[in-house]
Amino acid sequence: MYSTDILVLGSGIAGLTFAIKSAIHFPEKKITLITKADESESNTKYAQGGIAVVHNEINDSFEKHITDTLKAGDGLCNTEVVEMVVKEGPQRLNEIISWGVEFDKDKEGKFYLGKEGGHSENRILHFKDITGLQIEEKLLSIMRKLPNITVLNHHFALDLITEHHLKINTNKPTCFGAYVLNKRNNKVETFLSKITLVATGGMGQIYRTTTNPLIATGDGIAMAYRAKAEIKNMEFIQFHPTAFYDLKDNPAFLITEAIRGAGAYLRDKNGERFMLKYDQRGELASRDIVAIAIDSELKKTGADCVFLDCTHLDKKLIEKQFPTIYNQCKAKGIDLLKDYIPVVPAAHYLCGGIVSDKHAHTTISHLFVCGECAYTGLHGANRLASNSLLEALVYAHHAFLHTQKIIENIHFNFSVPEWDAEGKIEPEEKVLIKYHLNELKNIMNDYVGIVRSNERLKKASDKIYAMHLEVEKIYKTTIISQPLCELRNMIAVCTIVIKHSMQRKENKGGFYNINLVSQ
Ligand code: FAD
Ligand code: SIN
């Protein structure tokens, strides 16, 4: 049994920011951060475009950022939350700058503000095209200097501990920590904690084509669902319009929207621009509109991909702002100053998740959530580009503030049972997990993709349910492993995505079912 004051699950921007703030404020308390891979591995590390924050008050304003966010969210955002996040953005940004996080500046020392789809002004602060890597590395380096944080990498959280494990019935569960698989010795360890934060990120890996790294398997949401936390808006999966088209890649390499912000065009297989047929903002319409437009062009023409044309852009700008993308394309035989880049939409971001109030508190006592696995009400039916790093910073701060209020009043005087592994045997065939995983990704891509229908959703529901029955049998009888638990979690989150998709009665933002009307 391992005891800690604060348990953080996940080492992306959300988990790290919360852990750092808590460790600085409570030097006498023990903070434990567990993460399932190397600590830098996260969606955060791959963020390209940057952070949307109002910075240039001459052209920009909170009102404009709020309006853009609400417009992208297509009527489903919580306006109070949007106002709160946008207005607190500059403070949170200045805080990470004071910690040493850097953003590109122009010759006069002013931040170089980029533009992305759905933004009416240039307001994206970035560090070249590797904003996320820079943030992740800086936060990790700060965390490593704080003596009261223990980081346990290659530790995989399996389940949240609640009254259910103590065999107590309750309608209002409390979280007491988590069961965690220590991948170094393959033992399940019990982590008791006064406060637990779920910051396990998204779940793009449920799709065949995704920009998300392999860690994005929806574990935190599946754990919270099993613990009976409220989960909302899971039908709203955001597809990024422009991932490099190469069927061999997992994850698919993202070509940042900022490059369209700098003037790149989308072209069909005949070299014609097509976005203006769909939206007067053209290539800079919000992401849901551009992804649906590309999907429609691909279906009409039967082509495998569309193309991003950067050939008219300034060479110096590309070299300065997009060096990673330039080099990655080059490695794939595309010189983006001369050739068109083949691109397709790819699953990119989850707008729904574990319900969080304004304090980042879930519907389970002492359980907080922030980052991509949270549903706060900021994004509504479609996230405005570069609003997620911002949301993670603001909500990590709120989780920290509320932790301060409640932690001193939390005391445990009971024991929690160890993980029960009795009677479990080594699985005979591990290949089954791989087989089911491939099938799951194909089902989600083919039946629960950008454009859905009642018939496709029903088919997906039946197939995923059949898979659920088979995988539960394996889970109940064999010794657990990370791949098996990830598959089980992915089945759980797919089930929720399909269920919420079937319940939705009108098309909104990133959700499009051909059998429903659009408003
Ligand atoms: P993550 O950064 O994904 O971190 C999750 C952590 O949880 C990881 O450390 C993971 O290993 C750990 N974890 C997961 N499951 C378990 C488990 N069972 N046990 C233990 N640990 C676990 N957003 C923007 O605002 N601007 C951008 O420019 C931008 N660009 C993007 C580009 C790409 C290619 C991608 C994929 C996303 C981009 N996003 C961007 C989205 C943004 O990066 C993410 O939403 C954000 O980083 C999520 O942060 P997080 O802390 O919630 O989760
Ligand atoms: C991008 O750089 O295009 C991704 C930005 C985001 O997902 O917010």
Side-chain angles (χ1 to χ4, degrees), residues 127-324:
F127 184 80
K128 301 191 177 11
D129 51 1
I130 50 164
T131 310
L133 179 66
Q134 209 256 141
I135 294 176
E136 182 72 23
E137 283 179 348
K138 187 56 74 180
L139 294 181
L140 282 172
S141 79
I142 295 170
M143 185 184 66
R144 288 188 188 113
K145 289 189 197 123
L146 292 163
N148 53 334
I149 303 187
T150 304
V151 182
L152 300 171
N153 60 15
H154 298 279
H155 278 63
F156 178 83
L158 292 170
D159 259 324
L160 298 167
I161 302 170
T162 63
E163 284 83 353
H164 167 79
H165 300 95
L166 310 176
K167 309 264 182 283
I168 297 170
N169 279 328
T170 178
N171 293 327
K172 180 83 189 86
T174 302
C175 180
F176 307 114
Y179 290 116
V180 175
L181 177 68
N182 177 345
K183 287 160 59 185
R184 298 192 190 282
N185 61 13
N186 252 352
K187 295 248 161 33
V188 179
E189 294 167 1
T190 307
F191 283 68
L192 267 193
S193 183
K194 293 177 182 164
I195 297 285
T196 304
L197 175 85
V198 184
T200 47
M203 55 180 215
Q205 282 292 324
I206 62 173
Y207 286 91
R208 196 173 55 217
T209 309
T210 178
T211 61
N212 290 190
L214 300 182
I215 52 98
T217 53
D219 301 336
I221 299 166
M223 283 190 275
Y225 177 67
R226 287 194 287 273
K228 309 244 177 307
E230 193 185 348
I231 313 286
K232 251 181 112 171
N233 276 26
M234 295 280 284
E235 66 275 39
F236 295 109
I237 312 276
Q238 181 171 80
F239 289 81
H240 196 290
T242 56
F244 193 101
Y245 173 65
D246 184 341
L247 294 178
K248 295 189 295 302
D249 287 350
N250 183 19
F253 182 67
L254 182 77
I255 310 291
T256 179
E257 204 158 290
I259 216 158
R260 274 178 281 133
Y265 299 137
L266 280 164
R267 297 190 184 275
D268 66 16
K269 65 174 184 180
N270 301 317
E272 301 295 329
R273 280 181 73 189
F274 55 86
M275 266 318 297
L276 286 163
K277 283 190 292 188
Y278 294 88
D279 193 289
Q280 62 183 10
R281 292 168 293 179
E283 281 80 0
L284 284 180
S286 60
R287 212 167 263 184
D288 51 338
I289 294 171
V290 183
I292 291 175
I294 295 176
D295 186 77
S296 148
E297 289 294 314
L298 294 181
K299 287 197 171 116
K300 259 194 279 181
T301 60
D304 292 327
C305 62
V306 293
F307 296 90
L308 193 65
D309 172 9
C310 308
T311 56
H312 53 292
L313 300 184
D314 180 39
K315 185 168 184 266
K316 282 207 184 90
L317 175 101
I318 296 283
E319 281 168 358
K320 196 157 176 262
Q321 299 295 330
F322 307 108
T324 316

Side-chain angles (χ1 to χ4, degrees), residues 47-50 116 238 240 254-258 287 348 383-388:
Q48 293 184 357
E116 291 180 34
Q238 181 171 80
H240 196 290
L254 182 77
I255 310 291
T256 179
E257 204 158 290
R287 212 167 263 184
H348 182 64
R383 175 184 62 111
L384 182 67
S386 288
N387 261 359
S388 45

Side-chain angles (χ1 to χ4, degrees), residues 10-11 13-14 35-36 41 43-44 47 49-50 157 219 371-372 386 388-389:
S11 54
I13 188 169
T35 190
K36 70 178 177 181
E41 195 52 13
N43 274 307
T44 301
D219 301 336
E372 187 164 339
S386 288
S388 45
L389 295 174

